[in-house]
Amino acid sequence: MAELKALFQPIKIGNIEVKNRIRLSPMGLGYAEDGRAGEKFKSWYEERAKGGTGLLTWVLWPYRLEHGNFPWIYSDEFIPGLRKTVDVVHTYGAKIIAQVGTGYGWSFDDRPVEFIGPSGVSLMGKRLGPPFRVGTATTPARMRERALTIDEIHKMVEGYGDAGRRIREAGFDGINIMTGAGYTIGRFISSLTNKRTDEYGGPLENRMRLFREIFENIKKKAGEDFTITCKISGSQFIEGGYTLEDCANEIVPMMEKIGISAVDVVVGWHEGSDKGLGMLTNSVPEGKYLYLGEAIKKKVKIPVIGGARTNDPRIAEEAIAQGRIDMITWARPLIADPELPNKVKEGRLEDIRPCIVCCRCLESVDEEGGIICSVNPRTGEEWQYPAEPEPAKKPKKVFIVGSGPGGMQAAITATQRGHKVTLYEKSDKLGGQLHSSSIAPYKQLEAGLRDYLAAQVRKNGVEVKLNTEATLETISE
């Protein structure tokens, strides 16, 4: 296989020198404790930095939420916990920026969190609540979008600027303003949700005013040299909303003129997914949405980050080498395997634990304990279960019955701890139910998990007995 070189070329984003073209996407992890970042966050981000990711992005909330499992930055008291994670990321030569703007809510003064927007326009029909549950009110009485007043908009702008100052004090290398997915700032940009008649509504220049004021306030408080990037949906994919042409020809060029140092292009709004738009599911072909970033890259000079549902590093390599995008963004692939970048660089593609695009991480984002992963049992538990298992104090003979994913992973881990493992499988091949489950439509990726685990069983020297049913007699042989 040809060496993948484009992925490992350095790139400069504003004042940030990044060692490669791999970015960890911002995502809600749900690992905070009363809004504070602790050991769970630190270990999670450390492992991804150690695994070779060049630029990591961490979602922070500049306002108080109803629950504390997402990390906050509305007060100086949160800076020390954040700084511990930032410092450990930097020890691996990686850079880290914070994202603000995720969610549909805000909490003004001592009032509870509310679902807010430019005009109180819902695209959800009769359905109550926001299009996506992260970062907004959960109480039914406050789950209808309320139009902001001018005074409240000004308070939000100041809140973002204060968050920017704290983010810099915590040691972050930059900040990303979220305007995609249909969250609050993006709802101001779209004429479909912004029906205001004041200075924040009407022509695009007015609809961009909130973004511009937030950008300027962050620069004022965090420093003119502080790097600011932006995340935007390349198209709303909703009838009447802005299109890719609008985004590429008008919106992003205006953001570039305002001063952003890079743009991260994602797929659509959450409301669009309810109208049949596949964004992240396993029914979406690899690399399907690279064209969004490619179209925008033709219209701007700043780096363009893209790659939603582009998990295969070979496709990412080709997209960067061809100049379609400047940087690949990976979320779930780096949840599944934190060492993905290092393995790609070393040419060990068969050792990459594959994401099967089951969306279990998305489903568990606001459950107690935060996100979990169907293929990486250590996700969220890195702080107590190191990547290299602790050697057993007394190695034993271990017999494992069945070579499904659980059996194979148990055999791998037990062998790594020093036990002598024998894996029994009554059929003629490893994999268990993964053979049949991968036949179903859009489940072919499960075959990749099967092959990965089987390869690791072989590489770890597990004794495998195929066509052998585990009985007292066969085990005693």
Side-chain angles (χ1 to χ4, degrees), residues 28 44 193 289 368 407 473:
W44 196 91
T193 45
Y289 293 112
E368 185 176 354
E473 290 74 20

Side-chain angles (χ1 to χ4, degrees), residues 3 194 360:
E3 185 180 358
N194 187 343
R360 184 67 183 97

Side-chain angles (χ1 to χ4, degrees), residues 373-428:
C373 176
S374 296
V375 303
N376 181 3
R378 293 181 54 255
T379 295
E381 303 298 331
E382 293 87 352
W383 62 282
Q384 58 180 341
Y385 297 113
E388 298 295 329
E390 182 180 349
K393 294 180 180 178
K394 184 178 180 182
K396 302 177 181 179
K397 290 183 178 180
V398 177
F399 301 99
I400 296 175
V401 181
S403 70
M408 287 193 284
Q409 183 61 62
I412 293 165
T413 302
T415 301
Q416 289 173 342
R417 295 198 64 197
H419 298 296
K420 181 176 176 53
V421 179
T422 304
L423 178 61
Y424 290 86
E425 171 55 53
K426 64 181 180 180
S427 74
D428 62 351

Side-chain angles (χ1 to χ4, degrees), residues 94-135:
K95 301 299 172 67
I96 182 169
I97 65 175
Q99 183 186 88
V100 294
T102 299
Y104 302 87
W106 198 271
S107 48
F108 294 99
D109 303 320
D110 294 328
R111 287 150 49 190
V113 180
E114 299 176 84
F115 179 14
I116 48 87
S119 307
V121 173
S122 172
L123 304 179
M124 302 297 293
K126 295 182 179 180
R127 175 180 158 184
L128 182 68
F132 192 60
R133 62 192 184 276
V134 173

